[in-house]
Amino acid sequence: MKTRSIASFLLGTALSLTAVGAACAQDKTVKIGALSDQSGLYADLGGPGSTLAAQMAVEDSGLAAKGWKIDIISGDHQNKPDIGTAIARQWFDVDKVDVIVDVPNSGVALAVNNVIKEKNGVYINSGAATSDLTNAQCSPNTVHWTYDTYMLAHTTGQALVKAGGDTWFFLTADYAFGAALERDTTAVVLANGGKVVGGVKHPLNTPDFSSFLLQAQSSKAKIIGLANAGGDTTNTIKQAAEFGITKGGQKLAALLLFLTDVKAIGLETAQGLNFTETFYWDMNDQTRAFSKRFSGKMKNGAPPTMVQAGVYAGLRHYFKALEALGGNPHDGVKVVEKMKSMPTEDDLFGKGEIQPNGRTIHNAYLFEVKKPSESKAPWDFYKLVGTVSGDQAFTPLSESKCALLKK
Amino acid sequence: MQALYAQLLVGLINGSFYALLSLGLAVIFGMLNIINFAHGALYMMGAFVAYFLLNNDYLSIGYWPALIIAPIVVGIFGMILERTMLQWLTGLDHLYGLLLTFGMALIIQGVFQNYFGSSGLPYAIPDQLKGGMNLGFMFLPVYRGWVVVFSLVVCLATWFLIEKTQLGAYLRAATENPTLVRAFGINVPRMITLTYGLGVGLAALAGVLSAPINQVRPLMGADLIIVVFAVVVIGGMGSIMGSIITGFALGVIEGLTKYFYPEASNTVVFVLMVLVLLVKPTGLTGRAA
């Protein structure tokens, strides 16, 4: 009798647990938080465009027709880590957000990374560059989608050193991103037999670079490496032209340059610059089709930047993982594990994979900015110079310091 | 040593923007008693007007006419602001003007950002001022040289207008004792409006000068305005000559900081401000109220 009652109790418990599990698996609600710089120097490359990309990912996933309820909220971190983490905390605690996307600015991205790990959410970062997100500070909740400083250093940096640019001077934005990009590029320069002759760290959002450019000029370095981004990079390039730096034989290496930056500089000044991106709107029929739909919805008609494309592609993959799980378990680690177990494939980045450390691997492309005479349309800016396969461009797992790899 | 000369010159160039902007602020504060926080936004509008004049299919007005047209257009906009909003604050505490103009700045910047994004628009250096000359210790872009000379001339002309002409005397008298000046048959409110227009026009002029060097961006003024306020406070609120001299001097000091300790270049102005205020609370050339 006693044995029977214990057995039935155990059976009952097991059944009810399965029922709870099934109920979780059938939960088809998702809340997405698009956290970006909505008003500062990175607002054009991420910002409202990233929120739009997230909306398009939701629409294109077709999940609504299958009974899913997906909401998006957006927030402005103003490039301040404390504001970014406060928004992230509120989103998890009050608004019950499942996944945070975009988050440009490496300083903010690393701070938010900790919050998401603590709250067991999902983090699909597309906007930040620091390779630490999948290295020293990797997290089981994080997928780093579009690009990182290691990739930028090993594509643009390596190509320039191999083309004879063996002495470097760095102009570096004085925060986490600049430091990571300078560190990773320096390693590449040294490994290829080059030398770093000097550098200067400038505050974020500096309007005038002439003092720094004069120092770079007097260093006589063959390459002036720009370890900065957005408005800082456009101002540097514009003012370098004014001071005749490129005419004097020195070459600028824009280690990170976005489509919107080229637009801001103007082809007249930007022509000939070499840089790397993982997405360009005019690559093939699929990217053109997506970009046409995207720019039709943007107020200024701009096509997507690689950051915005990464938000879209990352979310599409996230939805695929949720579908495969049969519902939203609201368990960040579990969802990210599922994402890692499935190969990535989408119209914008092609085939790829997510490595165990959270790094998404896909092709990277070396571009050159076209001459004004070569540009046939308003956003026709890039010429493809070379393609680097994902396994060549991103950190090899053997070099990764991510703790997740030491199981 | 050569590098040091180069930094001094570059500092002087940045100083000319500080001087032009703080001059406008000093004029407005001196005559209207308003702390014009919208100055940065109006500076940005100057650059944008120049951009529109150039890129409009029907107008295609280049840099030189824009140097005159943009300050007039933005100046008129400023006068409308003064007539519709600022004039109601006459006689109230400074704080009201500061808050109102700060709010206006946020609205103006917000509208521009909403329409044009944040990354900026290109504006080319005029053909006549392209290129540069080798000074031995540095390569000086012709355009930067032009900015220094032109700003100096404008600064001195404004100083002359306010301190040495009869019109300037009326203005100064009107701020001291408006009732008495009105008794002489002078239209004081109109004079105040025109003065605000002049201050705003100076900001817009700096905006046009800056367009070919910096990006034409909605936040270009917001990035600069705090530094310019520090310049005005160091120079002495309302002192015309004080703000001109301090503007140039701080440009140079900032340039030297960029050379010796770049990380501090954004804060050195405020360190100086604290030091000056500790020693002389009215600023270097300011008089006690």
Side-chain angles (χ1 to χ4, degrees):
Chain A
M1 189 65 195
K2 205 175 177 185
T3 335
R4 267 182 70 185
S5 63
I6 291 174
S8 61
F9 171 74
L10 284 177
L11 190 68
T13 319
L15 278 174
S16 61
L17 279 177
T18 326
V20 170
C24 276
Q26 279 160 6
D27 182 353
K28 291 187 170 174
T29 57
V30 184
K31 196 147 192 188
I32 302 163
L35 182 57
S36 194
D37 171 6
Q38 303 281 1
S39 53
L41 77 170
Y42 303 143
D44 278 0
L45 59 93
S50 287
T51 313
L52 171 61
Q55 280 160 358
M56 289 176 72
V58 174
E59 286 160 21
D60 294 357
S61 70
L63 288 181
K66 294 177 189 166
W68 287 70
K69 187 178 175 308
I70 304 171
D71 291 319
I72 302 174
I73 49 175
S74 63
D76 185 1
H77 63 48
Q78 298 171 35
N79 292 306
K80 295 185 179 106
D82 52 335
I83 294 181
T85 49
I87 294 175
R89 272 180 202 287
Q90 193 201 317
W91 278 359
F92 284 113
D93 293 341
V94 182
D95 300 302
K96 306 295 173 207
V97 158
D98 295 292
V99 50
I100 291 185
V101 294
D102 197 8
V103 200
N105 187 319
S106 297
V108 183
L110 288 170
V112 169
N113 193 37
N114 293 328
V115 176
I116 294 175
K117 189 176 173 186
E118 180 194 320
K119 304 286 181 189
N120 195 22
V122 177
Y123 190 16
I124 306 173
N125 187 300
S126 175
T130 177
S131 57
D132 289 348
L133 269 179
T134 54
N135 241 311
Q137 299 199 40
C138 72
S139 142
N141 302 74
T142 299
V143 173
H144 196 185
W145 201 274
T146 313
Y147 69 109
D148 67 23
T149 49
Y150 183 97
M151 181 277 277
L152 298 170
H154 281 78
T155 45
T156 316
Q158 195 156 327
L160 286 167
V161 181
K162 284 191 172 156
D166 53 0
T167 48
W168 284 60
F169 183 97
F170 283 103
L171 258 164
T172 307
D174 193 13
Y175 72 107
F177 151 69
L181 188 49
E182 183 182 333
R183 176 197 65 204
D184 289 350
T185 314
T186 301
V188 171
V189 171
L190 298 180
N192 286 279
K195 208 165 66 173
V196 176
V197 296
V200 57
K201 288 191 166 35
H202 67 78
L204 179 67
N205 220 356
T206 297
D208 186 74
F209 283 87
S210 40
S211 287
F212 307 130
L213 286 167
L214 285 176
Q215 290 175 54
Q217 204 167 24
S218 60
S219 77
K220 305 267 192 294
K222 286 184 192 163
I223 306 277
I224 301 172
L226 308 184
N228 51 19
D232 283 337
T233 309
T234 55
N235 269 339
T236 319
I237 293 171
K238 195 170 175 183
Q239 289 163 12
E242 199 193 332
F243 276 86
I245 285 194
T246 38
K247 281 189 186 139
Q250 287 175 304
K251 202 170 164 63
L252 287 181
L255 295 165
L256 178 54
L257 196 70
F258 295 95
L259 191 69
T260 43
D261 297 335
V262 176
K263 170 84 171 170
I265 302 165
L267 290 187
E268 185 65 43
T269 310
Q271 57 179 308
L273 275 173
N274 288 112
F275 59 97
T276 306
E277 291 214 49
T278 51
F279 168 85
Y280 174 49
W281 70 269
D282 199 13
M283 290 294 287
N284 54 47
D285 288 342
Q286 288 95 322
T287 56
R288 276 187 287 271
F290 172 78
S291 303
K292 199 174 167 198
R293 284 198 294 133
F294 181 92
S295 60
K297 293 177 182 176
M298 282 291 276
K299 206 178 311 166
N300 59 357
T305 62
M306 71 165 163
V307 168
Q308 292 153 352
V311 170
Y312 174 85
L315 271 179
R316 286 299 301 272
H317 190 67
Y318 169 76
F319 293 141
K320 280 182 200 164
L322 286 187
E323 266 198 297
L325 286 167
N328 187 359
H330 300 290
D331 177 342
V333 173
K334 197 171 172 187
V335 177
V336 169
E337 266 173 14
K338 189 75 196 168
M339 288 173 78
K340 287 175 183 170
S341 72
M342 304 161 67
T344 64
E345 186 172 2
D346 57 75
D347 288 349
L348 309 189
F349 292 84
K351 287 185 175 159
E353 59 167 318
I354 302 173
Q355 290 187 328
N357 57 359
R359 178 67 255 167
T360 308
I361 302 294
H362 38 233
N363 284 348
Y365 309 100
L366 258 174
F367 291 109
E368 187 178 306
V369 178
K370 286 183 172 177
K371 294 189 184 84
S373 58
E374 293 168 326
S375 172
K376 305 283 177 242
W379 291 87
D380 177 20
F381 293 158
Y382 296 179
K383 230 173 1 192
L384 184 65
V385 180
T387 302
V388 186
S389 66
D391 55 330
Q392 298 292 312
F394 290 96
T395 319
L397 284 179
S398 58
E399 283 180 32
S400 179
K401 296 182 194 79
C402 174
L404 294 173
L405 301 172
K406 293 170 198 142
K407 277 182 180 168
Chain B
M1 204 60 209
Q2 284 193 344
L4 204 60
Y5 288 139
Q7 297 300 338
L8 283 172
L9 191 59
V10 163
L12 209 59
I13 296 162
N14 284 336
S16 49
F17 285 109
Y18 294 158
L20 261 186
L21 282 170
S22 56
L23 175 66
L25 274 179
V27 168
I28 291 172
F29 181 77
M31 307 298 146
L32 279 77
N33 266 334
I34 281 174
I35 301 174
N36 188 30
F37 241 93
H39 216 65
L42 296 160
Y43 157 81
M44 174 267 289
M45 280 179 76
F48 266 95
V49 170
Y51 176 83
F52 290 132
L53 290 174
L54 183 68
N55 290 288
N56 186 302
D57 289 342
Y58 303 104
L59 298 172
S60 290
I61 291 173
Y63 177 81
W64 299 105
L67 270 182
I68 298 164
I69 299 174
I72 292 176
V73 171
V74 182
I76 291 172
F77 176 74
M79 286 193 268
I80 295 171
L81 287 184
E82 201 277 335
R83 270 287 135 128
T84 51
M85 288 186 255
L86 289 172
Q87 67 155 335
W88 306 108
L89 303 179
T90 318
L92 292 179
D93 193 88
H94 294 322
L95 210 56
Y96 291 92
L98 187 150
L99 290 173
L100 178 67
T101 50
F102 184 59
M104 287 186 332
L106 291 181
I107 294 169
I108 296 169
Q109 273 159 207
V111 168
F112 275 80
Q113 194 156 29
N114 198 24
Y115 280 97
F116 304 102
S118 61
S119 48
L121 305 160
Y123 190 95
I125 294 175
D127 288 339
Q128 298 87 340
L129 298 174
K130 273 190 178 146
M133 46 196 148
N134 198 343
L135 301 179
F137 59 90
M138 77 175 283
F139 177 90
L140 176 71
V142 174
Y143 186 79
R144 301 238 170 187
W146 151 254
V147 167
V148 176
V149 175
F150 184 70
S151 328
L152 254 181
V153 171
V154 173
C155 285
L156 292 176
T158 312
W159 171 79
F160 187 81
L161 178 77
I162 289 172
E163 300 286 338
K164 301 288 170 198
T165 63
Q166 197 175 15
L167 181 71
Y170 287 153
L171 261 178
R172 281 177 289 129
T175 46
E176 290 288 326
N177 193 339
T179 329
L180 190 67
V181 175
R182 202 172 289 162
F184 284 110
I186 292 166
N187 188 341
V188 174
R190 187 196 291 161
M191 215 150 96
I192 298 275
T193 308
L194 286 173
T195 311
Y196 190 73
L198 171 74
V200 167
L202 284 170
L205 182 67
V208 183
L209 279 180
S210 147
I213 304 183
N214 299 306
Q215 295 293 327
V216 179
R217 288 184 305 128
L219 293 180
M220 62 192 289
D223 299 340
L224 210 61
I225 190 71
I226 301 293
V227 179
V228 176
F229 265 104
V231 171
V232 177
V233 171
I234 295 173
M237 293 293 289
S239 159
I240 307 286
M241 204 35 130
S243 57
I244 299 174
I245 294 170
T246 318
F248 280 100
L250 279 190
V252 170
I253 291 170
E254 197 185 56
L256 291 179
T257 316
K258 280 180 178 167
Y259 181 68
F260 289 110
Y261 189 60
E263 289 89 337
S265 56
N266 275 11
T267 42
V268 65
V269 174
F270 304 105
V271 175
L272 275 171
M273 184 175 84
V274 170
L275 291 177
V276 169
L277 288 181
L278 280 175
V279 179
K280 199 163 181 284
T282 51
L284 290 176
T285 56
R287 290 174 293 261

